[in-house]
Amino acid sequence: MKILVTGAAGFIASKISYMLAERGDEVVDIDNVNDYYDVRLKNGRLHELGVELELNEYEWNKEYQSSKFANLRFIRMGLEDKESIDALFAKEKFDKVINLAAQAGVRYSITNPYAYLTSNLVGFLNILEACRNNPVQHLLFASSSSVYGLNTKAPFSEDDKVDSPVSLYAASKKSNELMAHSYSKLYDIPATGLRYFTVYGPWGRPDMAPMLFASAISNGKPINVFNNGDMIRDFTFIDDIAQGSIQCLDKTPKAEECPNQVPFRVYNIGCSNPVKLMDFIHEIEMAVGKKAEMIMKPMQPGDVYMTNADTTKLETEIGYKPKVNLHEGITRFIEWYQSDKNPLK
């Protein structure tokens, strides 16, 4: 099976690429390796995949062979480059596509809105068009738990309304779902959207709470705790997220089994066991062996009080079952954080 993975230098996509290559799929990875956050982390993830150059050594649109996996190649390419995307699809004839490339970050979308329109809408449209012109068996794409916005019913179900986003990032992810559904209907492209809930673990993003907390607590610096700590998150370990994503990739939607005969599905993917933010912080304190100095702050624009995934649909239809509890996950995360593998330590 030949699989394209976009955003391959990212947190989730790099783990999925590793698992796919390890099981024997032919993997073509692309990423523009932008500097939204520290590129040392992105380079480190690529090194784990056997792509061992440094950022300034990668040429655009040039292929690099993994030294670890004979069945994995990397190309530095941006989704907004329609000509290169079209040429890549025409050349490779992919069986399946995993689109995880996107401009990430809820708060960043408040100050840099145009970055989201270019990457999350124009870039995704280029992927959809490429799938239309070079038919694939299945398109798996990243949505987000942020689409639930002001929804207050818990846990969040795929059947809930998602028409009240509180950030442009959330709006762009909901737009991706609508775009993919229309292409599934018009061009019979089987597509699955995954609403990822809060993901943590080794190689996580440095702008997310787990890395921010681990860094500050380890170095005796204060942490900002928003909404005075009164927040709930459905923290899910990266291995569970990657494995669940691959399970979804392996189960192609069939029109006759989907609403309105459109081969399209959307699933929540999380732990379905939300925890209080303060409990999460205490787990990090115990793993690091230091107490946190906390600065209590109000809720930030674009944030929501709670994320809580109802994963019944994913468990029933796909067989998904997360295995890593919070204590084990934080222990493994801090072990990595304190190791020489962490380029930001």
Side-chain angles (χ1 to χ4, degrees):
M1 192 72 67
K2 184 185 285 189
I3 302 170
L4 171 67
V5 181
T6 77
F11 180 29
I12 299 174
S14 61
K15 186 68 177 183
I16 289 175
S17 293
Y18 194 99
M19 287 183 171
L20 289 173
E22 198 170 40
R23 78 173 190 176
D25 290 304
E26 183 180 354
V27 181
V28 178
D29 282 338
I30 67 172
D31 197 295
N32 67 1
V33 201
N34 67 28
D35 61 356
Y36 164 64
Y37 57 78
D38 198 317
V39 295
R40 290 178 297 169
L41 201 57
K42 298 184 178 186
N43 278 333
R45 296 183 189 128
L46 290 175
H47 290 178
E48 288 289 295
L49 293 171
V51 183
E52 297 173 343
L53 299 183
E54 298 305 318
L55 176 62
N56 59 2
E57 297 176 315
Y58 291 113
E59 296 180 31
W60 287 94
N61 301 328
K62 181 178 178 180
E63 184 176 289
Y64 296 93
Q65 175 63 49
S66 166
S67 62
K68 185 177 293 186
F69 298 109
N71 52 328
L72 187 146
R73 293 170 282 145
F74 173 77
I75 305 167
R76 188 178 187 186
M77 183 181 293
L79 295 192
E80 67 278 3
D81 183 355
K82 184 179 186 303
E83 184 177 338
S84 294
I85 292 292
D86 288 344
L88 180 68
F89 271 73
K91 173 191 173 188
E92 298 288 352
K93 303 299 182 187
F94 297 111
D95 297 305
K96 297 185 178 184
V97 174
I98 303 177
N99 184 63
L100 298 182
Q103 177 56 58
V106 170
R107 291 171 191 156
Y108 188 72
S109 70
I110 304 295
T111 55
N112 296 272
Y114 286 97
Y116 290 79
L117 295 182
T118 301
S119 178
N120 298 8
L121 297 183
V122 175
F124 188 53
L125 177 61
N126 289 341
I127 291 293
L128 290 170
E129 278 288 288
C131 289
R132 176 173 76 91
N133 294 320
N134 303 273
V136 299
Q137 297 174 22
H138 192 188
L139 167 64
L140 185 81
F141 67 95
S143 185
S144 167
S145 63
S146 65
V147 301
Y148 289 105
L150 295 175
N151 179 42
T152 56
K153 183 182 76 65
F156 299 160
S157 165
E158 294 91 344
D159 296 326
D160 294 341
K161 286 188 176 181
V162 286
D163 53 6
S164 56
V166 295
S167 70
L168 187 62
Y169 171 75
S172 74
K173 287 300 185 180
K174 176 56 182 174
S175 298
N176 285 172
E177 294 182 8
L178 297 172
M179 293 164 69
H181 185 276
S182 66
Y183 269 70
S184 292
K185 170 62 176 174
L186 290 170
Y187 308 114
D188 197 34
I189 301 172
T192 300
L194 294 180
R195 292 174 178 171
Y196 289 107
F197 282 68
T198 311
V199 188
Y200 74 99
W203 298 104
R205 277 173 33 205
D207 59 322
M208 298 289 285
M211 284 281 277
L212 292 173
F213 291 164
S215 175
I217 295 171
S218 297
N219 293 291
K221 296 180 179 179
I223 61 174
N224 293 323
V225 181
F226 296 108
N227 204 38
N228 298 306
D230 185 20
M231 299 175 80
I232 295 172
R233 290 290 181 268
D234 202 336
F235 290 103
T236 314
F237 194 67
I238 180 61
D239 290 36
D240 287 331
I241 287 288
Q243 183 57 51
S245 300
I246 292 172
Q247 287 177 262
C248 289
L249 180 73
D250 290 342
K251 189 174 175 67
T252 303
K254 297 178 181 178
E256 61 271 19
E257 298 175 357
C258 297
N260 302 312
Q261 305 295 295
V262 178
F264 177 84
R265 293 285 194 190
V266 170
Y267 294 109
N268 290 333
I269 181 165
C271 191
S272 200
N273 186 26
V275 299
K276 295 179 180 178
L277 180 60
M278 297 304 296
D279 292 338
F280 186 80
I281 293 171
H282 292 328
E283 284 286 352
I284 294 180
E285 288 177 323
M286 287 189 292
V288 171
K290 291 184 179 180
K291 293 292 291 182
E293 178 186 344
M294 304 181 200
I295 300 175
M296 297 298 179
K297 292 197 169 185
M299 183 80 85
Q300 295 292 286
D303 271 356
V304 295
Y305 163 68
M306 175 180 59
T307 62
N308 181 358
D310 180 348
T311 57
T312 303
K313 187 177 177 183
L314 191 63
E315 293 169 14
T316 302
E317 298 182 8
I318 304 296
Y320 167 78
K321 189 71 175 176
K323 298 177 181 178
V324 182
N325 63 35
L326 183 65
H327 179 72
E328 179 188 348
I330 291 296
T331 299
R332 289 167 62 177
F333 165 58
I334 295 300
E335 285 175 353
W336 168 85
Y337 181 85
Q338 295 174 337
S339 75
D340 291 337
K341 281 193 170 186
N342 178 11
L344 307 186
K345 185 177 66 170

